[in-house]
Amino acid sequence: MLNYKSINFSKSSTIFIEGQEPKYTFYIIKKGSVIVYSYFADNYTIEYKEGEIIGLFNAVLNEPYFSTVKALEDVEVIEMNINEIEKIDTISLINKIYDYLIINIERWLSRYYYFLHKENSPYYHNKNKKFDIIEMCKIYLNNGFNDASYKLYQKYIELNPNDENKKQELDNLLKNIKSVEEPENVEGNIYKYKKGYCLYTELQGKDNLYSIKYGKVGVYNIFDSKQVTRRILSAEDVLNGYSPISKNSKYLFTTAVVLEDSIIQLIKKEEAMDWVQSDRNLRLYFVKMMSMRIYSTISRIRAFNANNIVSKFVIIIEALIKTELLFKSMRKINFQYNINDICSMIGIEYKESIETDVLKIKSLEISKEGYLKVNNIEEFYKEYEIYKQRNSYKIDN
């Protein structure tokens, strides 16, 4: 039986404020509506109504609230501890939590692209700029993702069979490119993928979860004529191939590329939901994993406001560390990200001088292969606290 209590807030009262500790509790709005103010994200506001959830991802991660929430009218909420998530038997409530996390991932990603555009093109914005498949193909080709280019081309021709002009241009662009061979079935729904294989593109999502048993997968998209690194996943990570559900989802579609020979299990959405409903431990795993994606996206937004390169990297690396420590205990971390990946996340053009700046973070190293390494997590957090003090804006909330 679920353990919760009802709390009433009068109109205009504050339900929680930015920087407040969540104490592992979140709210479900039973009656009324609230507005959420995110001052750090250019005064971004969202309204939540009856039946919606607030404060869940902060509670799950035990991170201070990023936003301030006020009642737009008299409000009644149900206060619930995150430990109750494992006890939920009502499928509708499980789905409500899932939908809350998905929509928040997409909302914060949309806000992230707002900031990324400001960083790349602060004086120009053309909302009517057309989605240019040829430009996308060229960018992925230039970055060595040939199979992604090939599949974007194939899908575009499928969607636009009468566009002979672009077909000829794409034929010329890709005439010497071959797609990577299809995956080899290992057993059941587990497959072996060759390096370079494109799992899906920005033109078409997949109704699968990809559970990585061995290997590495990169998730990217093209924004403002640049390739942006969204995530790099490795063994034990799970990739969501679903198409975005937001109305304004143009820039939320991604391309996923296998970065080294990998063993991956494919899980259908319906199967995953059945598991989440029946396996209480798996349910909390997915809630934490999705909550961390929200935290990581918000960290990227906060990094745009940092006043120097080193501070930007410190913020991003702190979020990467939190992601690694979500289900593991370790003292040092070898990341799957290089400097160029981090630069692409926050709209910085890579230059050799950036490497010198980044290595001012004493606990950080760069491997021979070019990947970032934190040799002592405890020492990194000491440096993190120092950079919080040095910067005029708040790294932490």
Side-chain angles (χ1 to χ4, degrees):
M1 185 175 179
L2 292 177
N3 182 24
Y4 60 86
K5 64 179 179 179
S6 292
I7 304 175
N8 291 292
F9 295 92
S10 58
K11 180 180 178 180
S12 300
S13 62
T14 300
I15 297 174
F16 55 74
I17 62 172
E18 178 184 350
Q20 181 180 339
E21 297 289 339
K23 297 180 181 178
Y24 299 103
T25 58
F26 62 97
Y27 301 119
I28 301 173
I29 302 173
K30 188 175 180 180
K31 178 183 176 183
S33 60
V34 305
I35 188 163
V36 179
Y37 298 92
S38 301
Y39 302 111
F40 73 94
D42 273 11
N43 298 319
Y44 183 44
T45 59
I46 307 170
E47 184 177 341
Y48 286 84
K49 299 179 180 180
E50 182 179 317
E52 295 189 287
I53 300 171
I54 52 175
L56 175 60
F57 63 86
N58 294 93
V60 168
L61 301 175
N62 198 33
E63 285 291 328
Y65 294 118
F66 298 110
S67 307
T68 295
V69 179
K70 294 184 179 180
L72 289 174
E73 54 190 313
D74 290 347
V75 172
E76 182 181 359
V77 301
I78 296 172
E79 183 186 66
M80 189 176 294
N81 190 283
I82 61 167
N83 293 325
E84 300 301 305
I85 293 174
E86 294 182 345
K87 303 176 186 177
I88 296 173
D89 291 317
T90 308
I91 292 176
S92 61
L93 183 52
I94 295 172
N95 289 333
K96 187 186 295 291
I97 290 172
Y98 174 81
D99 290 343
Y100 161 86
L101 291 167
I102 287 291
I103 196 64
N104 269 278
I105 287 172
E106 294 187 6
R107 279 173 173 165
W108 283 110
L109 279 171
S110 294
R111 200 60 181 170
Y112 161 68
Y113 282 112
Y114 160 81
F115 280 92
L116 187 60
H117 181 82
K118 283 178 64 178
E119 188 75 19
N120 287 328
S121 311
Y123 304 111
Y124 172 74
H125 181 50
N126 183 359
K127 292 182 179 179
N128 298 316
K129 183 179 179 181
K130 292 183 178 179
F131 187 72
D132 191 340
I133 186 65
I134 294 178
E135 179 182 53
M136 292 176 64
C137 284
K138 287 179 179 178
I139 293 171
Y140 282 126
L141 274 175
N142 289 338
N143 287 291
F145 295 153
N146 295 1
D147 197 48
S149 294
Y150 183 85
K151 287 178 177 172
L152 282 165
Y153 155 70
Q154 293 287 347
K155 188 61 183 177
Y156 182 84
I157 295 304
E158 179 187 325
L159 296 172
N160 303 276
N162 299 319
D163 194 345
E164 290 298 327
N165 290 331
K166 283 200 173 183
K167 183 179 185 305
Q168 184 176 358
E169 185 173 358
L170 285 165
D171 280 342
N172 291 332
L173 183 66
L174 299 173
K175 60 184 177 182
N176 296 319
I177 295 176
K178 294 181 180 179
S179 62
V180 176
E181 64 186 82
E182 289 300 306
E184 172 190 346
N185 183 248
V186 178
E187 62 173 346
N189 57 351
I190 300 175
Y191 295 84
K192 181 177 181 180
Y193 291 84
K194 292 288 188 181
K195 178 181 178 180
Y197 185 87
C198 179
L199 297 173
Y200 56 83
T201 73
E202 281 142 282
L203 291 185
Q204 185 181 35
K206 288 289 181 70
D207 190 23
N208 288 321
L209 288 174
Y210 297 87
S211 178
I212 303 170
K213 304 302 180 183
Y214 170 83
K216 183 166 64 172
V217 175
V219 184
Y220 310 91
N221 65 348
I222 305 301
F223 184 78
D224 280 353
S225 302
K226 296 179 181 179
Q227 181 178 302
V228 177
T229 300
R230 284 276 291 269
R231 302 167 69 198
I232 305 291
L233 301 101
S234 55
E236 299 182 23
D237 286 330
V238 178
L239 171 63
N240 178 350
Y242 311 151
S243 297
I245 60 175
S246 299
K247 292 180 181 179
N248 300 317
S249 60
K250 176 180 176 182
Y251 295 119
L252 302 186
F253 286 89
T254 56
T255 290
V257 179
V258 177
L259 300 179
E260 59 185 44
D261 290 354
S262 301
I263 305 294
I264 301 174
Q265 180 181 9
L266 273 61
I267 305 168
K268 287 293 183 183
K269 184 176 182 179
E270 297 78 13
E271 183 182 6
M273 289 306 296
D274 287 342
W275 287 354
V276 168
Q277 290 166 10
S278 61
D279 188 327
R280 300 175 190 274
N281 291 328
L282 185 63
R283 182 187 307 169
L284 196 55
Y285 170 85
F286 274 105
V287 169
K288 286 183 177 180
M289 183 178 66
M290 294 167 75
S291 296
M292 184 53 71
R293 284 197 63 192
I294 299 170
Y295 179 87
S296 297
T297 303
I298 288 173
S299 292
R300 295 186 190 191
I301 294 171
R302 290 160 62 208
F304 286 115
N305 296 318
N307 54 21
N308 59 64
I309 296 293
V310 179
S311 296
K312 291 176 186 290
F313 268 74
V314 165
I315 296 168
I316 297 298
I317 291 168
E318 189 272 343
L320 294 179
I321 289 174
K322 269 195 168 62
T323 300
E324 291 290 331
L325 296 180
L326 191 59
F327 303 108
K328 306 171 189 173
S329 178
M330 56 185 74
R331 294 188 59 193
K332 59 182 180 180
I333 299 175
N334 295 328
F335 292 114
Q336 301 295 330
Y337 297 86
N338 57 38
I339 288 181
N340 192 54
D341 288 325
I342 308 299
C343 288
S344 78
M345 292 177 186
I346 48 181
I348 298 172
E349 201 70 48
Y350 174 77
K351 298 182 293 186
E352 289 187 7
S353 60
I354 289 179
E355 184 172 319
T356 302
D357 287 334
V358 170
L359 289 177
K360 291 177 182 177
I361 307 170
K362 295 179 182 179
S363 56
L364 191 69
E365 285 188 12
I366 301 173
S367 71
K368 292 180 180 179
E369 296 79 18
Y371 298 110
L372 298 174
K373 300 168 58 178
V374 172
N375 289 320
N376 188 310
I377 293 173
E378 186 177 341
E379 290 301 315
F380 171 83
Y381 272 101
K382 290 179 182 178
E383 292 185 86
Y384 177 71
E385 292 298 323
I386 291 172
Y387 280 102
K388 281 169 59 177
Q389 298 298 324
R390 288 180 180 174
N391 282 273
S392 57
Y393 95 112
K394 294 189 294 182
I395 288 179
D396 209 354
N397 289 293

